[in-house]
Amino acid sequence: MSRVPFAGVGRVVSGAVARPRTSFVCQQCGAQFAKWVGRCNDCGHWDSVVEEAVAPRPTAGPQRTSIAIGAARDAKPVPLGSVEPQTASRVSTGLVELDRVLGGGIVAGSAILLGGDPGIGKSTISLQVLGELGRRGMKALYVSGEESPEQVKMRADRLGSGDSILILPETCVEEVLEQVEETNPAVVLVDSIQTMHSRELASAPGSVGQVRECAAALVTMAKASGRPTILIGHVTKEGTIAGPRVLEHVVDTVLHFEGDSDGGLRLLRAVKNRFGPTNEVGVLEMGESGLRDVGNPSAVLLAERPKGAPGSVVLPTVEGTRPLLVEVQALAAKSALAMPRRTTLGLDANRVAVLTAIVDKRAGLKLWEHDLFVSIAGGFRVAEPAADLAIIAAIGSSASDQPLPADLVLFGEVGLAGEVRAVRHAETRLREAAKLGFARAIVPAATARGAKAPDGLSVEGVASVGELWSLLFRARRPRPEPLDA
Ligand SMILES: Nc1ncnc2c1ncn2[C@@H]1O[C@H](COP(=O)(O)OP(=O)(O)OP(=O)(O)O)[C@@H](O)[C@H]1O
Ligand SMILES: [Mg+2]
């Protein structure tokens, strides 16, 4: 029998035939059923019953280890001081931006979940990483459940990497684990976890039970053997990784690959990381020969910015610890509809609705007569409140048809009373703006008093939306009539 962890889980070893045993368990209350039901009879939850493999009764000998702690079998307590830290065994992926998101490279024995929209480049970046590790003499196994070896080879040829990679077209996780034992690779990639299935379960690949069992088996293998293991995951329409939430708990690192799949720029975000900072972002660019690091993303993001166009504003945002200059665009156009349209791209629609109401009230713009479109250029998403001041300025600029100075940046949170509040990382934002050649920054008054202005950047503070209007729009107080009348 193979020594693969988890290989025996779910088998009832009675008599000559080992038949898999499963039961259906409610994920909310733990009630067990003999067959699948749509609604749990015990707690009443809908769609919470999932097929699970039943572990054999413990007998003499080793038992199933906890996947969460990744503990080795027969472990003994040791003084923490005598433990070698894992940082020494980080391996660079060849992509500076990916290394940065991982916290300095791939850690031995770590399980990484890489999620992202279809076609965003998950297979591409994984193939590039395996190719790079192969060049460093590490044997890499690419388990492909989605594409044939020929398809993967075509991509590898385009990327110019990967001849040393072992490719395994397989979707059965037990077979995969057996092949891993046999070929003994230094790193394993599974593309994708949703295509994997376990023989122990009767449910279809991609179902919650299957995804969880397969991920658990692969993570246990990674922990027990010290092989870094990368799992590619699909995302749902809502943008979360498809499958059970527990998938994100069992792995060490969860990376989200984002961006506009039509455009070239991609954002790699660490949403969970046991070996580095979370919320760190890496910026990459997709090209003919794969993904490339983008050293100065702000310059790339602002490259096509229209200068002197009403409704265009530059916002220094911070992703994780990294400043990025992005362009906020607003378009307020007279509406023929009884209910004017409100559309946002890359920004929270509710937040923009609140800011629109604040502009209406404090600056006297009749925005209910306008369709309003607000977006972040380049397919980026900005969720932080520091964007408020820039959004308000962009809406005001478009509604009043007055362009803002091209060398201006704005950031700050705006409250319902129209007050402008300080935000974190003010100096980082100002430094990035100065680095990119911006000459003027409008910031919350409290920030202007406390922050040190970098050379070449004049920093002005505003305490309210009214003050912002006085500064930007024809240097006078807000007028009560619509500006486009
Ligand atoms: N010849 C090419 N030149 C430039 N870019 C290409 C080329 N071929 C593919 N791409 C890019 O690669 C992307 C597809 O990459 P990849 O197959 O790695 O995505 P994926 O996330 O694995 O998708 P899926 O979810 O379908 O598996 C395309 O969206 C495109 O941006
Ligand atoms: Mg793919």
Side-chain angles (χ1 to χ4, degrees):
M1 193 177 136
S2 90
R3 290 187 296 107
V4 182
F6 264 56
V9 171
R11 285 192 189 134
V12 179
V13 193
S14 62
V17 189
R19 277 198 4 250
R21 257 195 61 205
T22 63
S23 83
F24 293 82
V25 181
C26 173
Q27 303 301 298
Q28 297 291 334
C29 69
Q32 295 200 8
F33 304 92
K35 60 180 183 165
W36 187 81
V37 286
R39 182 167 183 250
C40 174
N41 289 342
D42 272 26
C43 70
H45 257 92
W46 285 95
D47 208 19
S48 62
V49 176
V50 165
E51 187 186 22
E52 285 184 0
V54 177
R57 278 184 189 284
T59 51
Q63 294 181 18
R64 180 175 173 167
T65 49
S66 160
I67 50 164
I69 54 170
R73 291 185 177 176
D74 305 325
K76 298 268 189 299
V78 290
L80 199 52
S82 69
V83 178
E84 279 292 313
Q86 281 184 319
T87 40
S89 53
R90 280 189 196 268
V91 190
S92 168
T93 61
L95 287 164
V96 176
E97 297 288 307
L98 177 57
D99 283 351
R100 165 198 188 98
V101 173
L102 289 170
I106 298 183
V107 174
S110 64
I112 300 165
L113 179 64
L114 172 65
D117 284 335
I120 200 80
K122 302 180 292 295
S123 307
T124 307
I125 195 169
S126 309
L127 199 59
Q128 275 181 258
V129 169
L130 293 199
E132 174 63 25
L133 297 181
R135 271 192 290 277
R136 286 162 194 255
M138 291 172 73
K139 194 181 197 183
L141 178 68
Y142 187 123
V143 181
S144 177
E146 290 190 346
E147 294 170 304
S148 65
E150 292 76 19
Q151 283 173 306
V152 178
K153 170 72 176 150
M154 270 168 56
R155 181 179 297 120
D157 284 348
R158 179 161 56 82
L159 304 179
S161 70
D163 278 350
S164 61
I165 297 172
L166 293 171
I167 173 108
L168 174 67
E170 180 59 73
T171 56
C172 174
V173 74
E174 286 83 10
E175 294 289 335
V176 170
L177 292 174
E178 247 166 60
Q179 288 302 325
V180 168
E181 282 290 293
E182 223 162 85
T183 52
N184 193 23
V187 51
V188 179
L189 171 94
V190 178
D191 185 3
S192 64
I193 189 67
Q194 276 84 9
T195 58
M196 291 292 131
H197 71 93
S198 164
R199 280 197 207 109
E200 319 296 340
L201 302 180
S203 49
S207 62
V208 172
Q210 287 282 13
V211 170
R212 189 175 56 188
E213 279 302 307
C214 295
L218 290 161
V219 171
T220 307
M221 176 276 292
K223 298 286 165 199
S225 64
R227 289 182 193 102
T229 300
I230 305 171
L231 309 177
I232 293 183
H234 294 168
V235 295
T236 61
K237 261 201 301 212
E238 290 76 39
T240 54
I241 291 178
R245 202 66 220 247
V246 69
L247 188 56
E248 297 186 21
H249 290 301
V250 294
V251 295
D252 300 305
T253 304
V254 181
L255 304 180
H256 270 260
F257 213 8
E258 299 169 0
D260 189 357
S261 62
D262 297 330
L265 277 190
R266 303 282 193 273
L267 214 61
L268 197 57
R269 203 185 289 271
V271 288
K272 162 182 173 174
N273 197 354
R274 286 186 181 145
F275 305 119
T278 41
N279 270 330
E280 195 57 89
V281 289
V283 185
L284 298 140
E285 192 171 14
M286 174 70 91
E288 173 79 28
S289 55
L291 290 148
R292 276 190 313 273
D293 292 314
V294 175
N296 189 351
S298 298
V300 177
L301 282 169
L302 297 181
E304 290 166 34
R305 180 168 64 106
K307 296 211 173 116
S312 164
V313 170
V314 176
L315 160 75
T317 181
V318 171
E319 292 280 356
T321 56
R322 177 173 206 175
L324 276 177
L325 294 189
V326 296
E327 184 193 350
V328 181
Q329 290 192 326
L331 178 66
K334 204 89 174 170
S335 178
L337 302 170
M339 287 257 297
R341 293 188 64 168
R342 298 278 182 262
T343 306
T344 59
L345 272 177
L347 289 162
D348 178 39
N350 287 332
R351 185 130 205 123
V352 173
V354 169
L355 295 172
T356 309
I358 294 171
V359 177
D360 249 346
K361 180 90 178 166
R362 306 284 152 207
L365 297 178
K366 287 189 179 169
L367 286 170
W368 65 84
E369 294 175 349
H370 292 79
D371 287 333
L372 190 61
F373 308 92
V374 188
S375 72
I376 302 289
F380 273 72
R381 277 194 299 115
V382 176
E384 56 165 4
D388 292 355
L389 207 59
I391 295 171
I392 281 189
I395 294 174
S397 163
S398 178
S400 64
D401 218 14
Q402 295 181 51
L404 297 179
D407 60 356
L408 171 75
V409 296
L410 297 106
F411 65 86
E413 182 180 349
V414 177
L416 289 184
E419 81 280 14
V420 179
R421 298 163 179 233
V423 294
R424 60 199 182 99
H425 299 310
E427 290 189 4
T428 313
R429 295 171 205 266
L430 294 174
R431 268 201 307 276
E432 180 75 358
K435 206 170 87 188
L436 271 278
F438 286 83
R440 198 177 159 200
I442 297 183
V443 303
T447 303
R449 282 194 297 275
K452 190 173 156 292
D455 289 344
L457 190 73
S458 94
V459 178
E460 296 156 72
V462 287
S464 67
V465 173
E467 283 183 27
L468 178 75
W469 242 251
S470 317
L471 268 180
L472 288 183
F473 300 114
R474 299 216 186 104
R476 59 175 179 250
R477 297 286 306 161
R479 45 185 185 167
E481 291 302 314
L483 293 172
D484 62 344

